[in-house]
Amino acid sequence: MHSDDGDVQPPAPPSTTAATTATPTRAATPTAVSSTSPAEPESEADSTESPPKPDSNADASTSRVRSTGAAALLAALLTAAGFCVAGIIRGTYPFGSVSRSTNDLGAQYIPFYAHLWDILHGQAQGDLFFNWQSGFGVGFWGDVGVVLGSPLSLLVALFPRDQIDLAVFVLTTLKLALAAAAMVVLLRKMRPGPAWLAAALGASYGMCGWAIDDAAYVPMWLDGLIALPMFCLVGEWSLQALTPGGARRTNRLLSVLVIGLFWFSNFYTAYMATIAGGLVLLARVLTSDLSWFRRLRVLLRHAVSVLLGMALAAPLLIPVFTANSEATTSPSGFFTPLPVDKFLSRLMPLSEGVGASASLYVGTAALLLALTLPFNGSLKVITRVVWTATVVLLAASFLWSPTQKFWHGFDTPNGSQYREAFVLCGVLVIVAWLSSADRAPSPIALGGAAALLVTLALISQDSPFLTSGSVGMLAAAGGLTIAVMLTLWLIRRLGNRGWSGIPVVAAVVLVIVVGVETTLSAVVMDEQRAKFLSASAPAWGPQQTEQRDKIAAASDWPEYRTDPGTRTTPNDPMLLGGQGAGLYSSLLPASLNETLSGLGFGWAGFGRASYALDNPVTDAIFSIGAAMHRDDNLTRADAPPLVTVRPGPAPDVPFTSAYGLQERLLGAQVYDVPAYRGSVVAPGLLTLKARCPVGSTVFLHFPQVGGQARLAGGEWQPLTASRRPRTTTSSKMVELGKVPASGEVLIDLQVVAAVRGAITPRGALGCLDSTKLATAVSDLRAAGATHVETGGRSISATLKPGSTGVAVIAAPALPGWLCARDGGKPEEPTSFGGLLSVSLPGPTERVSCEYLPPGLGIGLAAGGGALLITLGLALAARTRKRQRTSDALR
């Protein structure tokens, strides 16, 4: 047995319990992996130590906490330093000009953090429940649950608004460091062992391939990286609470709060971490010396904690799931498992294959130590069998379609298909610790692990995921790790003969090996990933500052909207300010997508990203009085108020084009929609011919066609549908120019992608009469609200005396709204062609509406019930403890 800092200790008889505490018997010395005398038996119970004696309990606890804290800090610093040094070498932001905004980081996540910054500083139009700025007004609580749920997200408020990229980078680094520290705490809880080794393994986990290759540009996934060791720690508390002689200071309340916190932070990765935590606890229980009855009680206790923790997060989870059921759906991906050799090649250093493979890299040192476990004679047979089977079956579950779907909540993702890879990284680190914490593995165990490493290198040599330095790094790091472990093993076998400094040197060498290798692997991952995953420009720069200033100067919300467009990102309304159609969210409501696409707005990402539309009719419909255009010029126009009054419901008549739907919502006929003739000029090039009123403005709407179009002799305008039009993308309506004096409209159409039948004989061409539009806008202003007020999730309007008919609010009709007339009973509003509306059966002077996320009430009830049950269980446990203490004193 050894102390918390790896002291050499006299052997202790194996305990018959699964307690995980140790008894230091002398002052700590700077030795590394603990050792036993040559005569000491090579086998002992897995993770079983004698419970501390009463007179040494306080000193043992203090020593353990201090050494664990130091190890956790070291692991966190190693991880943070490695991540930053990798950025310095690569020259990525904030250390250079290379952008970090890979895929959705810049287009989606950073704008969400920017909007959170605005909310926290009182500068947003909306609150945590509702977002007035995006999609013309949508719920926001679901997006909080998907992207911003972590309490760490609040730290962005400490940074300047124009340094939002830096805030997200710091947050990412902090999460990586916390994951490493949490793993150290778990390892030292599972089995006492040398602090330096725990720190090295913690850093290996914090800089694992999944963290750097898959999650570094998806910040919310990193909450799962922290959750995994924390959930395993909750399992350890359950095991400890039911172990005879084990410490009972942890209680149910803390366990439930930990589970609830991470399910609140990011339910997606928390789901995966929950499964993995259960598997780890099952392995721990099977390798313990507890009776089967106590083992069952441990599992049941843990299950209750998990269920209560999930229920505690229900005020966020249920609204998220509700919003997801109403969101624009995307088709499930198709899973094709990798060949085993290519799958295993991602265990190698300096490998990369995000999206196409599972990022399993945990560092050569951690991998080598994990591979010693099957050959480690100092561990019980049951321990070796159970943990080896756990690792093998866990890896196999990634390669079988049903279990792979299970890992992703029964929905195969379209993007990276091995998002659960971090759980295997965590289990490998745990296994490495269990095999080496008590003592350095023997030469036999190291030889077996080395043979497996050589086999891995041989079968992986043709893998496309390896780089030229992968095998060399494996050999160098593996050789140094073996040398360190053999040195420590020899010292243990030969006894303490004045070589106390050698273990310290060995420890430093291994920590350096881990730090250097993981850092270089991070450099290579980022470099290789950048070759096929695009990285947009940083979300914020001088241009964005200028745009935001212009938008702020033109804004007069809620008198009218100021649309920032979607030039920088689909989420420019959150990033730059203003209020527009732009929104990129996995929870974008399907009804909103249907309304906007019907009006001629474009979209991408299976309908989860909506784009702005430069069209004066939709500007009038949505009360847009100022708009930013592609050339950064901001134009102004008269706009109706946000709340208008119509004589009756929207006409329930079929419309054959986007122009007809625009006219329905506007309440006036402003377009001429002519028939046209098409002729093929060359492959992919067509000419459309039609006649329109002279001086009218020509618009073209081919949503399922990608390419470009122009009036003859004019400038080309892009049709943005790309791969799989109608499925992944849709082109927005485009303005082509004025009808010439001849009245003849000639349109050149260059097609690069199209759905069969997309080029229709009528309905794509519309000619707008600006005079009729101006009259329609004037009529809406005359009958509209005299004053409009908005709150974070509310809107109210003062109407002209005697107003009857229908009050139409220029916002999507979404579930969650309740509206009242003149302070009356709140009722569900109606839909005016997709817009929020309130019927006015009699003269009405005031209309007010308030939004609450659907499912929030049920979620609050479930969360409150879980909290009461948890408090009841904690109180009952405290009462039983007091009763036992009282009985013992009698």
Side-chain angles (χ1 to χ4, degrees), residues 707-776:
Q708 55 185 352
R710 67 177 180 180
L711 280 182
E715 294 185 3
W716 287 103
Q717 301 296 325
L719 302 178
T720 53
S722 55
R723 58 192 181 111
R724 288 188 285 168
R726 187 173 61 189
T727 302
T728 59
T729 56
S730 174
S731 290
K732 66 179 180 179
M733 183 182 293
V734 293
E735 179 181 342
L736 299 181
K738 297 289 186 180
V739 177
S742 64
E744 186 176 37
V745 177
L746 295 176
I747 298 175
D748 296 327
L749 179 64
Q750 193 172 58
V751 180
V752 297
V755 174
R756 182 183 296 274
I759 301 178
T760 57
R762 188 179 180 92
L765 187 62
C767 299
L768 175 66
D769 188 321
S770 57
T771 301
K772 291 181 180 179
L773 175 61
T775 300

Side-chain angles (χ1 to χ4, degrees), residues 818-833:
L818 287 177
C819 300
R821 298 179 294 270
D822 290 331
K825 180 181 178 181
E827 300 175 354
E828 289 188 5
T830 55
S831 172
F832 187 92

Side-chain angles (χ1 to χ4, degrees), residues 470-813:
S470 294
V471 174
M473 180 61 74
L474 182 77
L480 287 171
T481 302
I482 291 173
V484 167
M485 290 298 152
L486 281 177
T487 299
L488 297 175
W489 181 84
L490 282 172
I491 291 175
R492 176 175 64 84
R493 300 297 295 179
L494 297 176
N496 191 352
R497 300 183 179 181
W499 298 334
S500 59
I502 295 179
V504 175
V505 174
V508 171
V509 168
L510 190 62
V511 169
I512 292 175
V513 167
V514 169
V516 170
E517 184 196 321
T518 54
T519 299
L520 292 179
S521 291
V523 171
V524 170
M525 287 178 198
D526 186 68
E527 183 179 47
Q528 296 298 314
R529 184 182 59 212
K531 293 180 179 179
F532 65 95
L533 283 187
S534 61
S536 59
W540 203 270
Q543 181 182 14
Q544 284 71 37
T545 299
E546 182 180 354
Q547 290 172 333
R548 183 172 170 84
D549 290 343
K550 287 183 179 180
I551 292 166
S555 293
D556 193 10
W557 173 261
E559 289 298 312
Y560 57 80
R561 285 188 169 97
T562 301
D563 189 353
T566 48
R567 178 181 177 184
T568 304
T569 76
N571 284 317
D572 275 359
M574 285 188 281
L575 184 67
L576 302 176
Q579 312 83 28
L583 175 62
Y584 178 20
S585 167
S586 59
L587 300 180
L588 191 150
S591 60
L592 173 61
N593 173 254
E594 181 180 356
T595 298
L596 294 183
S597 61
L599 289 168
F601 288 81
W603 48 263
F606 305 99
R608 295 177 295 178
S610 61
Y611 289 87
L613 176 62
D614 288 333
N615 181 280
V617 179
T618 54
D619 286 354
I621 291 170
F622 289 104
S623 186
I624 297 175
M628 180 79 73
H629 301 282
R630 285 185 301 170
D631 56 3
D632 283 352
N633 286 330
L634 193 144
T635 60
R636 300 173 185 262
D638 288 338
L642 209 61
V643 180
T644 57
V645 177
R646 314 298 177 89
D652 189 16
V653 294
F655 61 93
T656 58
S657 68
Y659 309 107
L661 181 57
Q662 288 184 11
E663 290 175 335
R664 176 192 297 185
L665 297 187
L666 182 68
Q669 185 175 348
V670 295
Y671 283 106
D672 182 79
V673 182
Y676 45 84
R677 303 183 309 277
S679 58
V680 177
V681 177
L685 183 62
L686 290 78
T687 297
L688 305 180
K689 297 181 180 181
R691 296 196 66 83
C692 279
V694 175
S696 59
T697 305
V698 180
F699 288 86
L700 183 69
H701 186 223
F702 274 133
Q704 298 167 23
V705 175
Q708 55 185 352
R710 67 177 180 180
L711 280 182
E715 294 185 3
W716 287 103
Q717 301 296 325
L719 302 178
T720 53
S722 55
R723 58 192 181 111
R724 288 188 285 168
R726 187 173 61 189
T727 302
T728 59
T729 56
S730 174
S731 290
K732 66 179 180 179
M733 183 182 293
V734 293
E735 179 181 342
L736 299 181
K738 297 289 186 180
V739 177
S742 64
E744 186 176 37
V745 177
L746 295 176
I747 298 175
D748 296 327
L749 179 64
Q750 193 172 58
V751 180
V752 297
V755 174
R756 182 183 296 274
I759 301 178
T760 57
R762 188 179 180 92
L765 187 62
C767 299
L768 175 66
D769 188 321
S770 57
T771 301
K772 291 181 180 179
L773 175 61
T775 300
V777 170
S778 178
D779 292 343
L780 289 175
R781 290 174 63 89
T786 59
H787 182 66
V788 177
E789 297 177 354
T790 56
R793 53 185 176 86
S794 64
I795 183 171
S796 60
T798 302
L799 308 180
K800 293 186 175 180
S803 294
T804 60
V806 178
V808 178
I809 302 170

Side-chain angles (χ1 to χ4, degrees), residues 40 147 155 277 287 458 603 753 755 757 779 875:
E40 183 179 350
V147 181
L155 296 177
T287 56
L458 291 175
W603 48 263
V755 174
D779 292 343
L875 182 60

